[in-house]
Amino acid sequence: MTSLADLPIRDDLRGLTPYGAPQAKVRVALNVNENTHDIPEDVAEHIVAAVAEAVRGVNRYPDREFTELRTSLAGYLGHGVTPEQIWAANGSNEVLQHILQAFGGPGRSVLGFPPTYSMHSIIASGTGTRWIAAERDAGFAISAETAVRAIEQHRPDLVFLCAPNNPTGTPMSLEAIAAAYDATEGIVVVDEAYAEFMPEDAPSALTLLPGRPRLLVSRTMSKAFAFAGARLGYLAADAAVIDALRLVRLPYHLSALTQAASVAALAHAPAMLAMVDEIRGQRDRMSRELAAMGFTPYESWANFVLFGGVADPHATFEALFRESILIRDVGLPNTLRVTAGTEEETTIFLEALGRLGA
């Protein structure tokens, strides 16, 4: 039987492994930071109706410029962002891929700060962009000084900042983001996949966009909007950046069904986001109860908690899995990560972990 090693793939892809978050049918799945709450029934009915209407026209190609969706996304984001400043694709991963296709590639580099979203380095490899790993401060933070020092040392073509960070949940200040931008002539991408879970008074990097044409802020509907299966990611940036991304996207990359479903969901943004407060509450509850058990939860502005003090992460992961509870071993020593689920899911996880005494 032919193996991968027998195929003439690119040399820089040999030995790499694909993204591999575990997939399994379990009673409590808290491993990939999904929104575990159901979409409200009336919203679901509107989305179904919108998709049904779009099906009637699928003999034709969709709107290549996804005009209505860009208008809806700009309206949702606010901060003076216009439709001309919006880009969207099939999940934020494709958005990031478009960025690296346009601004990265062979002979260019992207700087990141591990531990961070694993797809940043994977997409870099896939586009032939050299990945440079820089160190974080204690507690997984990135100060302005740390960001600037790494940029001045490596002189990357792109800088990826994850705020709040995944897998740690760590926030990043606007001052640090602005300092990173000022320290480079390249592209700075702020991945705000978990922005809706930040404290309500916490400012977004969207506020930094005016006057910064090389700053890109990416978002997703997968998390707060409970829309992971629909695959819709997007970004806001200078209109010239959007023109650059048009050069690398595939024709008609967003299906008519995706556009229709996303526009319908955005029309119900307040209802879709009503569950965010409850998710924050379960996140904070987990932090308190994990600390009471003797673990060390890290500060999180996302919809998950990374906690340390786990003697044997793999054994604890397996023990929970045997109870049909799936969380995430992200490979950091003595830590595990768990998504904030519903109150019932959180209770099941905490009680099981308490019984294990891990």
Side-chain angles (χ1 to χ4, degrees):
M1 181 180 294
T2 301
S3 70
L4 180 61
D6 298 320
L7 297 176
I9 64 171
R10 288 171 14 207
D11 289 340
D12 61 330
L13 294 181
R14 293 190 180 278
L16 299 182
T17 55
Y19 178 84
Q23 293 190 110
K25 289 288 187 181
V26 294
R27 60 175 176 146
V28 177
L30 301 175
N31 64 317
V32 289
N33 304 336
E34 297 159 318
N35 186 329
T36 64
H37 295 66
D38 294 332
I39 291 176
E41 184 61 30
D42 60 332
V43 179
E45 290 175 359
H46 182 197
I47 294 171
V48 168
V51 171
E53 181 63 28
V55 166
R56 300 179 185 280
V58 293
N59 58 310
R60 302 290 186 179
Y61 284 116
D63 175 8
R64 188 174 57 245
E65 293 300 313
F66 44 98
T67 308
E68 185 178 6
L69 176 57
R70 290 167 70 190
T71 299
S72 296
L73 287 167
Y76 168 68
L77 287 181
H79 295 290
V81 173
T82 66
E84 292 73 27
Q85 293 178 268
I86 294 291
W87 188 250
N90 296 284
S92 60
N93 289 330
E94 188 178 46
V95 170
L96 297 172
Q97 183 179 60
H98 286 164
I99 294 169
L100 286 174
Q101 286 176 315
F103 299 105
R108 296 194 174 190
S109 62
V110 55
L111 177 72
F113 293 82
T116 193
Y117 182 39
S118 60
M119 284 303 299
H120 288 173
S121 59
I122 292 173
I123 295 171
S125 295
T127 58
T129 310
R130 183 166 61 95
W131 171 256
I132 302 171
E135 293 186 359
R136 290 175 172 264
D137 299 320
F140 304 118
I142 304 176
S143 67
E145 294 76 15
T146 294
V148 170
R149 183 167 56 249
I151 290 168
E152 290 180 344
Q153 177 184 353
H154 297 288
R155 296 296 177 186
D157 298 286
L158 300 97
V159 179
F160 276 6
L161 305 171
C162 198
N165 187 49
N166 177 17
T168 65
T170 317
M172 186 172 183
S173 71
L174 293 190
E175 292 74 18
I177 295 170
Y181 183 91
D182 291 341
T184 179
E185 295 182 357
I187 296 293
V188 176
V189 180
V190 182
D191 186 338
E192 284 195 341
Y194 300 92
E196 285 90 351
F197 301 102
M198 298 192 300
E200 291 184 2
D201 59 349
S204 163
L206 293 167
T207 62
L208 297 176
L209 285 175
R212 293 182 174 88
R214 294 176 288 104
L215 179 65
L216 289 60
V217 182
S218 72
R219 293 279 191 99
T220 181
M221 291 183 69
S222 293
K223 310 302 181 182
F225 271 84
F227 228 50
R231 311 306 302 129
L232 197 289
Y234 59 101
L235 67 74
D238 189 271
V241 170
I242 309 307
D243 285 339
L245 300 181
R246 286 190 179 92
L247 299 175
V248 298
R249 61 100 179 266
L250 295 175
Y252 311 105
H253 70 289
L254 275 179
S255 78
L257 307 186
T258 298
Q259 293 183 43
S262 301
V263 169
L266 286 161
H268 296 274
M272 295 286 276
L273 298 178
M275 62 194 85
V276 167
D277 279 345
E278 181 181 345
I279 294 169
R280 287 196 198 108
Q282 294 306 315
R283 174 197 66 196
D284 296 343
R285 173 195 171 195
M286 285 198 301
S287 292
R288 291 191 302 271
E289 297 196 24
L290 286 166
M293 292 181 195
F295 296 104
T296 307
Y298 290 90
E299 179 185 17
S300 176
W301 281 16
N303 70 335
F304 56 82
V305 176
L306 179 77
F307 59 101
V310 185
D312 188 336
H314 180 72
T316 301
F317 171 89
E318 291 292 341
L320 289 168
F321 185 65
R322 285 194 293 272
E323 295 201 31
S324 199
I325 301 168
L326 188 58
I327 63 172
R328 190 75 178 268
D329 182 350
V330 295
L332 296 176
N334 303 112
T335 66
L336 289 167
R337 191 193 70 191
V338 57
T339 306
T342 63
E343 181 178 4
E344 180 183 9
E345 291 170 328
T346 302
T347 298
I348 293 171
F349 159 71
L350 290 170
E351 289 180 350
L353 186 65
R355 288 193 300 273
L356 292 173

